[in-house]
Amino acid sequence: AKAAGRRTFVRYDDSMDVANRRRAQLSGALHKVLDRGELRLVFQPRLSLAAQRITGVEALLRWTSEEYGEIPPNLFIPLAEESGLILGIGEWVLREACRTLRQWHDAGMTSLNVAVNVSVVQLLRGDFSEIVRRVLADTGLPPHALELEVTESVLMANAEQAAAKLQALREMGVSLAIDDFGTGYSSLAYLKRLPITTLKIDKTFITDLNRDPDDTAITTTVITMAHSLGLTVVAEGVESETQMRFLDHFRCDEIQGHWLSRPVPPADCLAFIRAWVPGTTS
Ligand code: C2E
Ligand code: CA
Ligand code: CA
Ligand code: CA
């Protein structure tokens, strides 16, 4: 029994080594992404259910490493946060997203907004609102066309500091969304104190809509609560017509997900939006 226990331990230790080595390799490669131009953005459209109109897009980061191939953001974003590389990468994302939207506005699509994911490291370190102000000035995108998404857990962990940072951004005219809403522990009172404009219901709740009574209750409660606070509600991860109809019935404002479109390169996304016919989904 003793020997078997030891073997199990050794095997576990080996796999930890492999995982750590992999992380170290990726971190090394991550240092070179900006110089090598290995990053790109894909865009996923957002649909207003009541207006049957595409209101905007979310920019999502993609990394194809020369050495390691395609690495998912859920793997490399945490590494970039640990090393501080997220500051440079995040600014690149912001600039690229605003530049792309400005081009779309110039092409006549002036009502479209862009949502950009912001890491807590970006929000809390340095003068983030100054960076945003500069990127907007450089690209010529109007502030109201930009929405910044911050995850709920991150806001809760740094409540006071975050609130001050968000206030400065909101005063600039930028919209502010809480991402992955429902996964943390935000109280109604706390939400009321933050200058946010939008709640994004986490996709884990949307997946089991109609099947899991708890998820259904959480979703309908979040929609009601958000509306009572004057916030726009977006459901993410909408994959079926059934989910869309449910969300429409409960007056969810906007949806995003594979049912409408997967995240795609900018030209494809613009083509999708141009080809969009109101009412085709209802
Ligand atoms: P997120 O902000 O919650 O983004 C939504 C994720 O759900 C995206 O995964 C998107 O591709 C995926 N998704 C969209 N529609 C559906 C659907 O119908 N079903 C399912 N199952 N998934 C759907 P992605 O692109 O892999 O990004 C994962 C996470 O990485 C993001 O979650 C966000 O937290 C982070 N991330 C992505 N880009 C950036 C970025 O530029 N900066 C920062 N700080 N984080 C980013
Ligand atoms: Ca997001
Ligand atoms: Ca989310
Ligand atoms: Ca997420």
Side-chain angles (χ1 to χ4, degrees):
K2 205 175 175 186
R6 191 141 133 221
R7 264 203 302 278
T8 306
F9 175 74
V10 169
R11 220 177 273 137
Y12 178 67
D13 197 37
D14 277 355
S15 72
M16 289 295 286
D17 274 357
V18 170
N20 284 333
R21 205 176 318 127
R22 175 85 172 148
R23 285 162 56 86
Q25 284 170 337
L26 286 179
S27 292
L30 207 48
H31 276 86
K32 301 169 210 151
V33 286
L34 289 174
D35 289 341
R36 288 180 173 179
E38 293 180 342
L39 299 177
R40 72 203 147 80
L41 294 182
V42 288
F43 294 87
Q44 186 176 41
R46 222 158 93 172
L47 173 72
S48 161
L49 289 172
Q52 284 294 305
R53 186 174 76 79
I54 306 285
T55 57
V57 294
E58 178 176 1
L60 293 157
L61 187 55
R62 294 293 178 262
W63 175 26
T64 310
S65 159
E66 191 186 304
E67 289 111 322
Y68 308 109
E70 184 83 19
I71 314 292
N74 284 333
L75 195 62
F76 74 79
I77 298 277
L79 292 177
E81 288 176 335
E82 281 167 29
S83 58
L85 288 169
I86 194 68
L87 294 174
I89 291 172
E91 187 170 341
W92 181 88
V93 169
L94 186 67
R95 191 171 288 276
E96 186 66 12
C98 291
R99 195 181 63 78
T100 302
L101 256 286
R102 176 57 208 242
Q103 283 179 354
W104 294 3
H105 280 202
D106 289 345
M109 313 291 279
T110 50
S111 66
L112 294 177
N113 304 324
V114 65
V116 175
N117 294 286
V118 171
S119 155
V120 63
V121 180
Q122 285 175 277
L123 183 69
L124 298 183
R125 261 174 52 184
D127 203 347
F128 182 62
S129 60
E130 261 321 301
I131 291 172
V132 173
R133 194 190 304 278
R134 200 170 63 229
V135 168
L136 288 171
D138 291 350
T139 59
L141 188 73
H144 66 77
L146 175 64
E147 183 166 87
L148 300 174
E149 298 190 0
V150 188
T151 60
E152 185 190 10
S153 53
V154 153
L155 284 179
M156 292 304 289
N158 307 275
E160 240 155 74
Q161 254 184 306
K165 298 279 187 176
L166 294 178
Q167 192 61 46
L169 290 161
R170 190 69 198 108
E171 278 163 15
M172 213 185 288
V174 170
S175 299
L176 301 171
I178 297 197
D179 206 351
D180 302 343
F181 189 76
T183 57
Y185 306 92
S186 303
S187 70
L188 197 67
Y190 170 72
L191 275 184
K192 224 181 123 184
R193 291 209 314 270
L194 289 177
I196 52 168
T197 51
T198 310
L199 282 191
K200 294 191 84 173
I201 306 175
D202 193 69
K203 58 177 174 285
T204 54
F205 301 108
I206 306 304
T207 304
D208 284 335
L209 273 185
N210 286 335
R211 262 176 287 152
D212 184 334
D214 291 340
D215 287 349
T216 307
I218 289 168
T219 300
T220 55
T221 304
V222 168
I223 293 170
T224 307
M225 181 193 78
H227 284 163
S228 74
L229 293 172
L231 304 175
T232 298
V233 198
V234 182
E236 63 176 22
V238 177
E239 293 180 348
S240 71
E241 182 170 343
T242 311
Q243 291 166 344
M244 180 278 291
R245 287 191 188 284
F246 181 96
L247 291 160
D248 189 27
H249 179 76
F250 284 100
R251 301 282 177 270
C252 180
D253 300 297
E254 301 188 17
I255 59 160
Q256 201 183 319
H258 294 168
W259 178 72
L260 184 64
S261 166
R262 287 174 182 272
V264 291
D268 298 352
C269 191
L270 184 60
F272 175 87
I273 296 169
R274 282 191 188 286
W276 173 260
V277 180
T280 44
T281 57
S282 53

